[in-house]
Each structure stands twice: as C-alpha cells, then as structure tokens.
Amino acid sequence: MKSLSRREFIKATAASTAAAAIGVSLIPGMEKSVFAGTTTWHKSVCRYCGVGCGVMVGVKDKKIVAVKGDKECPTNFGLLCVKAFYLNRINYAKTRLLHPLVRKNGKLQKASWDEAMDLVAKKFKKTIDENGPDSVAFYGSGQAYTEETYIANKLFKGCFGTNNVEGNPRLCMASAVGGYLTTFGGDEPGGSYTDIDKCDCFVLIGSNTAEAHPVVFERIAKRKAKNPNVKIIIIDPRKTPTNKIADLHLKCIPGYDLPILHAMARLLIKEGYADEDFIKNHVAFSDGKNPMNYEQFKQFIEEFTPENAAKTCGVTPSEIVEAAKLFGQAKTAMSMWTMGINQRIAGVWANNLIHNLHLLTGKIGVPGSDSFSLTGQPNACGGVREGGGLCHLLPGHRSVKKPAHREAVAKIWGISPDKIQPKPGLHTMAMFDGLAKGNVKCIWICTTNPAQSLPNLNKYLKGMEEQFMVVAEAYHPTMTTELADVVLPVAMWSEKEGVYGCTERRSQHLAKCVDPPGEAKWDGEALMMLARRLGYGDKFPFKGPEDTWNEYLTLTKGTDMDLTGMPYSRLKKVRGLQWPCPSEDHPGTEKRFVKGDPLFKGEGKINFYKKPNGRAIVFARPPKGPEEPTDAQYPFALTTGRILEHWHTGTMTMTVPELNRAVPKAYVEIHPDDAKRLGIANKDMVEIFSRRGKAQMEARVIDRPRKGTLFVPWHWREALINLVTTDAIDPGSKEPEYKVCAANLKKA
Ligand SMILES: Nc1nc2c(c(=O)[nH]1)N[C@H]1C(S)=C(S)[C@@H](COP(=O)(O)OP(=O)(O)OC[C@H]3O[C@@H](n4cnc5c(=O)[nH]c(N)nc54)[C@H](O)[C@@H]3O)O[C@H]1N2
Ligand SMILES: Nc1nc2c(c(=O)[nH]1)N[C@H]1C(S)=C(S)[C@@H](COP(=O)(O)OP(=O)(O)OC[C@H]3O[C@@H](n4cnc5c(=O)[nH]c(N)nc54)[C@H](O)[C@@H]3O)O[C@H]1N2
Ligand code: SF4
Ligand SMILES: [Mo]
C-alpha cells in the first residue's frame, strides 16, 4: 500500500468536513488496492478510543491484512479515523513480545511460561502469607476486555481478599463517574450518539473532539453542515482542530473555568431560559453537604455575574453572555467533555456544574439533549466502570462498602461474603505510592504503561523498579516492561475475543480473527494460571472469554446496567446493544430515565430513578482553581494532552511508519508573544521544568494556546513530560490534575 505523508493524508481526506475522520470508502481507488484478494471479513471494534467504531477485519492466509469501517455499525456508519485505518499493522510490529521474560541477575531473559508463572505464584503466595493480602495489587486498564478485568477482579477481591484492584480509568474517567453518581445517582450518560443528529447547540468543554474522538466530531460537523443554525461553543485554553466548526470559543485560563459555568447558569435563570416546571418536578438542590432550595441556589450563584466570572477565567463578560444565550435559545443542547474537565482537582465539581446547565433548562432526557461525557478508552465504561475494576467497586455498579452488594457477588463467585473486604483498596496514586514506600510488594500490571503515563514520575519510578512487578504486555520494550521482574507476552486485539463497552452504554463483541504470535496467551489465561497455582482453580472453570462473560452477565441481572440480554450468540450478530437490556428480545435502551427505559416506572417526562426521590441534583459548588497556581518562578500553566495520530505512550501507533512520519517527535506549543519575550524561535530545543522535574523537546511557536499556557502532547518517552506534571488529586475522584501545573521553560 502506498504510504501517505501528513499533508497527503489531509489532502486525501479533505472531502469530509473533518479532515480528521475518514471512511476508507472516501478515498477513491484505494479500497481496491487495499482489499484486493482479501478472503474473510470479521466484525469487530476499533481498539483505540471510546467512540467504539465498528470495524471489519480482513484476514488472508491467517494474517490480518486490512481494516475497514463497518457501514452497519451505528457508532460510526463506516467512518474511521487514521489510527484505525492502520490497525492491521500494529499486530505485526517488530516490537511484539513473543515469549515470557524473567529478570535474572538484573537482566530480563527469555523464559518458559511455566518458569515465569511458577516464579510469579511463589512471590504472590509468599507476600500474601507474610504481609497479608493488601501487600499485593492489580493495576488494569480501560483497554482490557471486560472478561479480563472480570477475572482479575474475582481473583484479587474475591480469592486473595484485597480490594487493591485499580485501572487507568482512575486517571481518566473517575471524575466523570463522580459527577454522574453525585448528580444522577448512577454512572454513565443517559443519552446516545443519536442525540447528536437532533442537537441544536453543542458545548465542547475540555474536549479536543476533532483529535481525540474524531468520528464523534465528524458526526457533529455533519449535523452543523446540514443545519447551519446549529451552534458550537468551545471552552478550552487552546485553539485546536476542533475550532474548525466553532461559533464561539471561550479561551479560559487552565483550571479556572468553573465560574464560567456558574455564570452561565445564573444567566439562564435570569434571562428566562430555565424550565421552571422541570425544576419543580425533577430537580433538587444541594450545597454538597446539605439540601437547599431553588431560592438559596439562586442566591449562591448571584455573585457570578459575567463581569465577576470573567475576572478569574480569562474570558470576556460578553463571551459568557453569548454562550448562555446560545445555550438558552437552542431548543436542544448537548455538552460533551473529556480530560480538560476530568483531570483536575475540581474534576467532580466541574462535572456537576455541566450537569447543572441541563437540569436547570430541562435539556436532558429529550431527543437532541444530554450532558454526555465522552469516554477516553474503548472499554473504560464496559470493563472498568460497569465491571467494577476500581478499588471501591464490584461488578454491576456495585460497591464494596455495601453488605448486600458483597453478598450478591460472593454468591456468584462461590466464596464467603467475608472474603470481600468492606473497605475500598488503594486508589491508583496511593497504590503506586504504596509501591514506592514498600507497603505494596507485588503488582500485576495489565494493558497499561504506568511508568510513562502516571504523573510526577520521579516519585514513583523507583518503587516500580524495586518491588516485584509482573507486566502482561503485547510489546517490549516499554517504559514499564523495562522495570518489570516478569513480562508476559499477551494476545492483543483480533488475536482474542471479548467485549468492549463504549461511551453510549453500548456493548460490542470483538472477534478473534487470527492466532496470537509466538507464545503469546490471552490475558485472562495468564491470570487463571496464577489462580490455579495458588489453589483457586475451581473458581475459574472458564474455557475462554465466552463463559467468563456469561458468569459476568448473571451479576448484572436486575441492576441498572442489566446486560442479561446480551450473550455472545446475540452480540456476534448485532452491532452492539445498549444497556439496560434485560432479555434477549429487548432491543436495548437508547435513552435512560424516560419512557422506553425498562427501569422507568414513574409518570411524567422523566424519572431519575437512581435517586431516592427521583430527582437529580443541582449543586452549588464553590469555584476552585488548580492545586498549583502560576507564580513568578513558574509563570506558565502547563497543560498536557493528545494529538490525532498517536495513542498515549505510543507503543502501538509509533510502530506504524505513516503515523510516526506525520508527527515524529515531541514538541511544546507556545504562544508567539511568549516565545518572542523569551527569545525562543520555532523548532528551538527547550527545557520545560516544574518543582518536580524537567523534560526537553522542540518548541512549536504557534497561535494556539492562550498566552501564558504551554501545551505538550504527552506521547513521547524521549521527552517524558510526566516528570514535570503534578500528582495532586481531586479529593472526590482521586483523579490527578494532569491538565494544570505551574512550569517554566528555557532554551535547552
Ligand atoms: N488520537 C488520540 N485519541 C484519543 C487518545 C489518544 O491518546 N490519542 N486517548 C483517548 C483517551 S484515553 C482520552 S481520556 C481522550 C482524551 O480526550 P480529550 O480530553 O479531548 O484530549 P486532551 O488532549 O487530553 O484534552 C482536551 C483539551 O482539554 C483542554 N484543557 C486543558 N486544561 C483545561 C481547562 O482547565 N479547562 C478546559 N475547559 N479545558 C482544558 C486542552 O487544551 C485540550 O485541548 O482521548 C481519547 N482519544
Ligand atoms: N501527561 C499526561 N499523562 C496522562 C494523560 C494526560 O492527559 N497527560 N492522560 C491519562 C489518561 S486519560 C490515560 S487513559 C492514561 C493512559 O495510559 P496507559 O494506559 O499507560 O497508556 P497506553 O499507551 O494506552 O498503555 C496501554 C498498554 O497496553 C499494551 N497493550 C495493548 N494491547 C494489549 C493487550 O491486549 N493486553 C495487554 N496486557 N497489553 C496490551 C500497550 O502496548 C500499552 O503499553 O494516561 C494518563 N496519562
Ligand atoms: S474515532 Fe476512536 S474508535 Fe473510531 S476509529 Fe478513531 S480511534 Fe477508533
Ligand atoms: Mo483516558
């Protein structure tokens, strides 16, 4: 296949509104050359972001030779972004790990599975015997398949008796979960992608949708192209490719956007855009500790005049007025947000304030309206949020703290309820702190690369090196495998089957299309090898992912996320199903809390049945800035994030030459005025430093970030920006503030 440079690629895809999103069929002539002679096609899902695009995987001579968008899949209708287009390459990268590695005399050396697993079992057993179950831990991922997270959860929480089970969604979606739970009483959005097609006003806040969720962006762009009256408001400290479709951009100071949301809420009420009936019937108010009434809430937000809010946020009063007007006037509205909101010490509160706008105006629960959090990873919702892969959760939206929940799970797991601890385990940052301090002595890491992705790494790398670390990985070397004691080679996407649950509560089946290379095994099998060696084999009679899934389904029966109607036999035929889906003849639920949702019992328009009185809560949260404000020594607000072509730590996308060539190395975006003042020219090497560490990369002098803000895409290990970022966490969600810290830079 001919390879495309970034320019050629953008040219080739310019036909679509968003250059970012392409359907293979959009590139004339290409389909033929790429797909000629392909024999079989398998229905699957893209393994990258939370949009959950359906793909068809082409296999010939037992090799994945092509990937195309699945035209029948309602998440993407055949469209794919550039990363997915090259998915067929990542399985065959030179860096694939083909056999286990065990550290001997300080060096990782080739070993057999038995040798590796015997060692792992010995270490886990000894550690648990000598120090108790809380001295071991599991750290998983929103990219692991649901069945894998399920097995890990059962083994660690149910058999070992430790709640030290976490996953990278803690770094990502925890604040969104906190927001949904506090406001609505239950996790995950009520709406669906179909709302986009009926929405008149989009608020994209802290989301670079064009690069991070390109196919959703494409759908929004299409909606606007067909209906020019559709308005798009962006709230982000930078201009990004998402701005291509913006009507209004509030270029806020990183970490200071809460007052914008309060000021919008105040104006919506003042200008008569509030839905007073909706408020009367479906909304309650709270200051976070005590209930309050509508009048008290109005008094609370009275100080957030546009002028007052503008003072701290770095936007103008008229921009806030305009945003409120566009939102208020529109018949329907959707807010979408991602890490610009969640990765903040005020992450949960910011989520609450977004929900406020919808609850005050009744723009929720009707077609075209929702406060719709975009999920980062493909299975953060499915495996980790629904599957209970965090330290305080159990499968089926259950909590370790509730006796009835522990009992229900213990019954299916065939263990005594006492085995599951009632106290949450260590959250992610505490877990790695535990490794650093030596309280956690043994850890199993699966489908994540924390030695590159955790914040403030100088504090955590040594612990990862010193304690016993087992890393299940598809590639070697990665920053984490390099520190491991045992590295297990695993089957990756298309080499195993399983289920992913995407942003819109849709569970989709991923096919096994080819055998894994070398000695690579399914992650679930590797975990069960440990279980058997420690005497828990009888709890894991699973022959593979399907019977694992079946057991998990029984745990969702009767919950708000009922998946009972989704056995593999059905999922293999359909393009996913949205929960609640309580029986095999149920079509799935497009909209929660309203008629058509099988759990909706009330009368009237909507019933937030996860709250005791059926009312969602509007919160009066005080404004809260970042943990580390800028000062004379560190005058820049450093924010980190993503670009279209690369995925996180780059282990996959950087093996694809086309993606690598498009953006080959790390850089920092700096505003031209700041660069000029500091005598920094485009492409100069600079050093960025904070109180915690430093990193070197090229300067990209560009009018994208607001003055005083630096933006670094964090994908490159050679320019490890997570030595610089802060590990301050939101006290509610325990999610780190990757999006803001105080930093400075100089010519390197
Ligand atoms: N190409 C690609 N796509 C991905 C990923 C990837 O690695 N590569 N990863 C996936 C994952 S796991 C995730 S979590 C998502 C993340 O998706 P996004 O959150 O959309 O991406 P980010 O670039 O992390 O951050 C989004 C925006 O937040 C803005 N921001 C920073 N600080 C603030 C603030 O204080 N307030 C506001 N309002 N905005 C702020 C940044 O300027 C940035 O443009 O992407 C998913 N999709
Ligand atoms: N500075 C900064 N840091 C951040 C963020 C940020 O915005 N700024 N964002 C945070 C967020 S939102 C996230 S989600 C995290 C993501 O951080 P990570 O999860 O650490 O990043 P990935 O590169 O996605 O790591 C996934 C790993 O799984 C491996 N892998 C692929 N397939 C399989 C498989 O089937 N099985 C197994 N066992 N392994 C497999 C890949 O090779 C890769 O090494 O990063 C966080 N870190
Ligand atoms: S938008 Fe996300 S799910 Fe869709 S093809 Fe791109 S990376 Fe994959
Ligand atoms: Mo994420």
Side-chain angles (χ1 to χ4, degrees), residues 47 141 143 168 171-172 339 343 377 446-450 453-454 472-475 478 490-493 496 523 640-642 647-652 714 721-722 725 738-739:
R47 66 98 48 236
S141 171
Q143 298 164 61
N168 58 11
L171 313 175
C172 179
M339 292 309 117
Q343 289 172 339
Q377 298 175 93
C446 173
T447 327
T448 177
N449 188 3
S453 59
L454 293 178
E473 242 298 347
Y475 302 89
T478 73
V490 290
M492 61 182 291
W493 174 84
K496 58 183 179 184
D523 278 293
T640 59
R642 294 152 172 79
W647 178 261
H648 299 165
T649 66
T651 56
M652 292 173 279
W714 66 279
I721 197 64
N722 275 330
T725 50
Y738 288 107
K739 282 295 178 272

Side-chain angles (χ1 to χ4, degrees), residues 20-22 45-55 75-76 79-85 87 209 211-217 376 378 644 647:
I22 58 165
V45 185
C46 173
R47 66 98 48 236
Y48 290 118
C49 88
V51 176
C53 295
V55 298
T75 60
N76 62 321
L79 283 182
L80 293 180
C81 78
V82 61
K83 288 183 296 306
F85 186 56
L87 262 174
T209 327
E211 296 199 74
H213 295 98
V215 169
V216 162
F217 179 77
L644 172 70
W647 178 261

Side-chain angles (χ1 to χ4, degrees), residues 470-690:
V470 186
V471 181
E473 242 298 347
Y475 302 89
H476 177 72
T478 73
M479 286 203 67
T480 309
T481 62
E482 281 170 2
L483 301 179
D485 296 282
V486 175
V487 189
L488 301 171
V490 290
M492 61 182 291
W493 174 84
S494 282
E495 298 162 359
K496 58 183 179 184
E497 70 177 332
V499 178
Y500 270 176
C502 73
T503 286
E504 60 162 5
R505 290 175 284 106
R506 181 179 299 278
S507 302
Q508 304 189 86
H509 178 264
L510 296 98
K512 176 176 174 183
C513 310
V514 293
D515 284 328
E519 294 172 31
K521 284 188 199 294
W522 178 43
D523 278 293
E525 177 57 25
L527 284 159
M528 290 194 291
M529 286 172 88
L530 174 61
R532 280 180 224 123
R533 278 169 170 74
L534 291 191
Y536 301 108
D538 61 318
K539 304 284 180 265
F540 298 89
F542 313 131
K543 287 190 202 70
E546 182 163 8
D547 42 5
T548 314
W549 175 255
N550 287 340
E551 183 175 297
Y552 170 55
L553 289 195
T554 60
L555 270 170
T556 69
K557 196 176 172 59
T559 68
D560 70 326
M561 47 149 296
D562 200 324
L563 307 171
T564 321
M566 305 188 190
Y568 271 21
S569 54
R570 189 174 179 206
L571 284 179
K572 280 181 182 171
K573 279 189 234 137
V574 299
R575 265 61 184 179
L577 287 159
Q578 292 176 280
W579 58 258
C581 178
S583 61
E584 283 202 54
D585 55 6
H586 192 278
T589 305
E590 197 172 292
K591 207 119 181 118
R592 290 173 90 187
F593 307 126
V594 294
K595 227 169 124 194
D597 174 347
L599 298 173
F600 177 73
K601 299 246 157 47
E603 287 167 16
K605 274 199 237 172
I606 194 160
N607 185 292
F608 295 107
Y609 52 73
K610 291 293 289 178
K611 283 282 183 194
N613 55 6
R615 287 169 182 269
I617 297 179
V618 166
F619 279 101
R621 303 288 198 193
K624 184 171 172 185
E627 178 84 4
E628 192 179 60
T630 54
D631 55 24
Q633 213 182 344
Y634 299 100
F636 285 95
L638 168 68
T639 190
T640 59
R642 294 152 172 79
I643 56 165
L644 172 70
E645 292 86 347
H646 286 301
W647 178 261
H648 299 165
T649 66
T651 56
M652 292 173 279
T653 48
M654 286 179 196
T655 69
V656 179
E658 285 80 356
L659 297 176
N660 233 1
R661 218 175 302 137
V663 194
K665 55 183 170 194
Y667 61 89
V668 51
E669 287 182 2
I670 176 170
H671 190 276
D673 292 355
D674 289 327
K676 200 169 153 199
R677 197 166 38 80
L678 296 170
I680 291 168
N682 198 35
K683 298 211 168 178
D684 276 355
M685 276 303 277
V686 292
E687 180 176 292
I688 304 176
F689 53 99
S690 71

Side-chain angles (χ1 to χ4, degrees), residues 700-720:
R700 184 173 288 183
V701 179
I702 188 167
D703 182 17
R704 285 199 3 176
R706 58 171 288 135
K707 262 185 249 174
T709 296
L710 303 173
F711 172 75
V712 175
W714 66 279
H715 306 292
W716 289 268
R717 60 177 293 181
E718 298 77 20
L720 193 57

